[in-house]
């Protein structure tokens, strides 16, 4: 995202009840089940959801105590928690088929450590991390507010709040912000599409959602009435997997930075942390966030690349987008490799990723979330490298 002049930038989010997010939730439910039984389990679970049907597929390596029956039951509980007990998609009635199979021995050979060989990356690829000081979470503002709108709607719906009366789990939001010299100053439009009960008054719904949005956006940011859109098609009763099929990994921009930063192309949900698609993307966010939190730059983009079976990153690239505070990017890249071991094993150990912490990541973004100190969730959002980074640059 450029930093000069005036421009509009848009990001979208989708709720936990969106079909693709239902699939992500189920895939991460499977992952957490295996990591609960064995922290060293290997999982690559893909999920398809459609009208009253769920299909699990992929490869796993874990203890026999994780049975097909237990995964099917966990899947039902995930659907129930999201809130689906509708005619076309119900936690009680959905047919669930499990086609997970054993992990390929060839992949295992490249990833496993043996003798003098350290654990290798689970695949080749490039991963990006990003941080910007335009919000308190060091996330881009458009995706931050898009998530916040849907999270608030979710919380109100679950609490039985009158403002969310008649709302169902499936929803989408989209926020367009006006930037002046790289800083967001106003929302020029907001779009919300939300599944609802039959016969709901759309005018009343619009008024209720307008009040929610006004309470989330900063004072003076609320768009004009003609730029606030609620259910533009006029009705949204049939939703969730009954309205559209969902697949794991189809919301990678929603999961990350809303398009404000590059993306390596790999999805996260359903993958154990030996897959650098996930773990290295978390490491990149962690390092970029600490750079900005340390005051070394206003924005930081970080790229890391790997080869399957190779333990060390092939490259580490830092771009401060001209916002660095007298910081040499080449030196910063070296410092980042010193403050964190960026091998797959090093990342997992530093961030303690071999734990069942992934279900909460499956909706409302993997980044910009508040770490839970008790559960140690979202450890890549910590800013515990700030002192080390400042010390490296005599700050």
């Amino acid at each position: 995202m450029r930093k000069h002049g005036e421009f509009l930038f848009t990001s979208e989010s989708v709720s936990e009840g969106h079909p693709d997010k239902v699939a992500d939730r189920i895939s991460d439910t499977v992952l957490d089940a295996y990591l609960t039984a064995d922290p060293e389990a290997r999982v690559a679970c893909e999920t398809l959801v459609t009208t009253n049907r769920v299909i699990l597929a992929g490869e796993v390596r874990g203890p026999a105590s994780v049975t097909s029956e237990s995964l099917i039951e966990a899947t039902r509980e995930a659907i129930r928690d999201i809130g689906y007990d509708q005619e076309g998609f119900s936690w009680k009635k959905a047919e669930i088929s499990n086609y997970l199979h054993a992990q390929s021995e060839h992949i295992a050979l490249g990833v496993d450590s043996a003798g003098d060989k350290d654990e290798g990356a689970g695949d080749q690829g490039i991963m990006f991390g990003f941080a910007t000081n335009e919000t308190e979470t060091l996330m881009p503002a458009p995706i931050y507010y898009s998530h916040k709108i849907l999270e608030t709607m979710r919380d109100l719906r679950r609490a039985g709040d009158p403002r969310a009366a008649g709302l169902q789990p499936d929803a989408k939001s989209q926020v367009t912000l006006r930037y002046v010299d790289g800083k967001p100053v106003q929302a020029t439009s907001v779009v919300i599409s939300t599944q609802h009960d039959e016969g709901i008054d759309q005018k009343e719904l619009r008024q209720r959602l307008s009040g929610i949005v006004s309470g989330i956006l900063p004072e003076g940011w609320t768009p004009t009435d003609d730029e606030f859109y609620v259910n533009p098609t006029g009705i949204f009763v049939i939703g969730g997997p009954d309205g559209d099929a969902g697949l794991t990994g189809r919301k990678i921009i929603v999961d990350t930075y809303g398009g404000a930063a590059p993306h390596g192309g790999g999805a996260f949900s359903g993958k154990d942390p030996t897959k650098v698609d996930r773990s290295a993307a978390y490491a990149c966010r962690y390092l970029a966030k600490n750079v900005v939190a340390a005051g070394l730059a206003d924005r930081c983009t970080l790229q890391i690349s790997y080869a399957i079976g190779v333990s060390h990153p092939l490259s580490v690239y830092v771009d401060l987008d001209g916002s660095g505070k007298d910081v040499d990017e080449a030196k910063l890249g070296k410092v980042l490799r010193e403050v964190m071991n960026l091998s797959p094993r090093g990342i997992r150990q530093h961030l303690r990723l071999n734990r069942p912490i992934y279900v909460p990541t499956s909706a409302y973004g993997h980044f910009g979330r508040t770490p839970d100190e008790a559960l140690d969730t979202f450890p890549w959002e910590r800013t515990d490298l700030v002192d080390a980074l400042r010390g490296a640059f005599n700050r």
Side-chain angles (χ1 to χ4, degrees):
M1 188 188 300
R2 66 177 185 266
K3 59 184 180 296
H4 298 299
E6 182 174 331
F7 59 91
L8 303 181
F9 193 86
T10 303
S11 293
E12 71 156 347
S13 180
V14 298
S15 72
E16 60 187 346
H18 184 282
D20 294 330
K21 282 287 135 196
V22 174
D24 284 344
R25 169 67 178 273
I26 293 170
S27 290
D28 276 333
T29 295
V30 170
L31 172 60
D32 278 359
Y34 272 99
L35 292 178
T36 298
D38 179 4
E40 301 300 325
R42 302 284 168 78
V43 179
C45 176
E46 309 294 343
T47 303
L48 163 68
V49 294
T50 186
T51 302
N52 269 331
R53 187 161 180 80
V54 178
I55 297 174
L56 306 179
E59 57 178 35
V60 298
R61 188 175 77 190
S65 60
V66 183
T67 64
S68 181
E69 292 75 16
S70 68
L71 292 178
I72 289 172
E73 181 61 27
T75 296
R76 291 196 189 281
E77 286 303 312
I79 297 169
R80 181 182 187 181
D81 185 64
I82 292 170
Y84 277 116
D85 189 13
Q86 302 171 2
E87 185 64 28
F89 194 69
S90 168
W91 68 274
K92 301 174 185 174
K93 302 176 184 176
E95 181 179 347
I96 303 172
S97 302
N98 180 10
Y99 295 102
L100 293 165
H101 61 81
Q103 183 187 51
S104 161
E105 293 181 3
H106 294 169
I107 292 177
L109 284 172
V111 176
D112 292 344
S113 58
D116 294 331
K117 174 185 174 296
D118 194 8
E119 179 182 291
D123 202 352
Q124 71 177 45
I126 56 174
M127 297 83 207
F128 287 93
F130 181 70
T132 172
N133 62 6
E134 62 189 54
T135 64
E136 61 183 12
T137 60
L138 304 187
M139 285 288 286
I143 190 67
Y144 171 82
Y145 290 113
S146 294
H147 286 325
K148 197 72 174 175
I149 289 169
L150 294 184
E151 283 186 285
T152 302
M153 290 169 58
R154 185 269 319 266
D155 292 344
L156 294 175
R157 174 174 62 84
R158 291 190 171 205
D161 192 288
R163 289 172 290 176
L167 298 188
Q168 293 295 328
D170 193 0
K172 301 176 75 171
S173 66
Q174 183 171 285
V175 175
T176 300
L177 299 184
R178 182 166 66 92
Y179 280 73
V180 177
D181 293 330
K183 299 294 183 182
V185 297
Q186 180 191 18
T188 61
S189 68
V190 172
V191 183
I192 301 175
S193 295
T194 180
Q195 185 187 16
H196 56 78
D197 291 346
E198 187 87 51
I200 199 168
D201 185 291
Q202 294 289 332
K203 184 176 181 180
E204 179 196 349
L205 176 61
R206 175 188 167 90
Q207 291 175 341
R208 284 192 270 139
L209 294 180
S210 177
I212 291 172
V213 171
S214 295
I216 292 171
L217 294 176
E219 185 176 355
W221 279 37
T222 305
T224 59
D225 285 346
D226 61 342
E227 290 294 337
F228 180 59
Y229 304 90
V230 174
N231 290 343
T233 60
I235 190 170
F236 187 4
V237 173
I238 301 173
D242 187 33
D244 192 10
L247 292 169
T248 303
R250 287 207 301 196
K251 288 293 176 283
I252 59 175
I253 301 303
V254 171
D255 283 345
T256 54
Y257 307 102
H263 194 294
F268 302 155
S269 289
K271 297 178 180 178
D272 75 76
T274 66
K275 280 74 171 174
V276 286
D277 274 349
R278 183 169 212 162
S279 57
Y282 290 171
C284 286
R285 163 62 180 173
Y286 174 61
L287 293 174
K289 182 175 184 179
N290 274 270
V291 167
V292 176
L296 302 183
D298 294 335
R299 292 172 298 281
C300 178
T301 301
L302 184 68
Q303 184 208 61
I304 301 178
S305 67
Y306 291 88
I308 187 168
V310 178
S311 63
H312 61 274
L314 305 185
S315 64
V316 175
Y317 167 77
V318 180
D319 181 5
L320 302 181
D321 191 28
S323 71
K325 313 299 184 181
D326 297 321
V327 173
D328 179 75
E329 292 169 337
K331 178 182 176 181
L332 179 57
K334 293 178 181 178
V335 169
L336 294 178
R337 297 182 80 149
E338 293 169 358
V339 298
M340 184 178 188
N341 180 350
L342 293 174
S343 70
R345 184 197 299 274
I347 291 171
R348 294 205 326 277
Q349 291 178 342
H350 190 109
L351 297 177
R352 300 182 61 238
L353 298 181
N354 282 93
R355 296 175 294 120
I357 58 173
Y358 296 103
V359 163
T361 70
S362 61
Y364 312 112
H366 293 244
F367 307 130
R369 309 290 291 275
T370 302
D372 186 309
E373 295 298 329
L375 300 176
D376 196 16
T377 53
F378 302 99
W380 50 91
E381 291 297 316
R382 299 191 312 246
T383 53
D384 52 359
L385 296 181
V386 164
D387 290 343
L389 290 174
R390 285 176 176 166
F393 288 91
N394 300 315
R395 303 299 170 88

